[in-house]
Amino acid sequence: MCTERYIDPFTDFGFKRMFGSDRCKSCVIKNLAKLSEIPERLDDELFRSFFQLAEVSKLSPEEYEAYEASLKRQRDNYNVVVTAREEGMMEEKIKNARAMKQFGDPIDKISIITGLSPEEIVKL
């Protein structure tokens, strides 16, 4: 007995199987751009990313350039925040290590608690 098998386009595997080639991807993106909103059945992370890509594909060259500049600003701002947070955490570790060192705590203990290497603690 032979059973027919169908690919479900609403699953990640099915979608990749149907639209995996570059030629098909551009066709999907082109047609998704014609929709005004995401159909409820397609409202998941995979299809939302395709719809966002389709929206970008509708932009004029000037709009696309402004979009890319906006993304760059967002990424730069994110990286500034992450770097500042990391630097602040390092400053706090150093401050705590100095205090513990002044109280005479062993370097091994300071290293475990602060996450600093014994060499870094000795230099403080």
Side-chain angles (χ1 to χ4, degrees), residues 85-102:
R85 184 178 299 133
E86 289 171 354
E87 288 174 358
M89 291 172 66
M90 181 56 82
E91 288 173 10
E92 188 67 23
K93 287 179 181 182
I94 291 170
K95 177 182 159 190
N96 291 336
R98 282 188 179 134
M100 292 175 74
K101 195 172 175 184
Q102 285 178 346

Side-chain angles (χ1 to χ4, degrees), residues 35-64:
L35 297 173
S36 59
E37 61 184 51
I38 300 174
E40 188 175 322
R41 184 149 184 209
L42 299 181
D43 192 16
D44 68 14
E45 187 176 340
L46 175 66
F47 287 100
R48 274 193 300 270
S49 65
F50 269 98
F51 276 94
Q52 288 170 349
L53 190 55
E55 287 296 317
V56 171
S57 73
K58 293 192 291 189
L59 299 175
S60 70
E62 296 81 19
E63 290 171 325
Y64 183 76

Side-chain angles (χ1 to χ4, degrees), residues 104-122:
D105 288 335
I107 299 224
D108 291 343
K109 178 181 175 183
I110 298 170
S111 178
I112 291 169
I113 291 173
T114 64
L116 297 173
S117 70
E119 295 80 22
E120 291 172 308
I121 296 166
V122 169

Side-chain angles (χ1 to χ4, degrees), residues 63-81:
E63 290 171 325
Y64 183 76
E65 190 175 314
Y67 169 76
E68 284 294 322
S70 171
L71 286 180
K72 183 181 180 323
R73 278 192 305 276
Q74 283 180 331
R75 291 180 189 124
D76 289 346
N77 289 339
Y78 174 79
N79 288 330
V80 165
V81 169

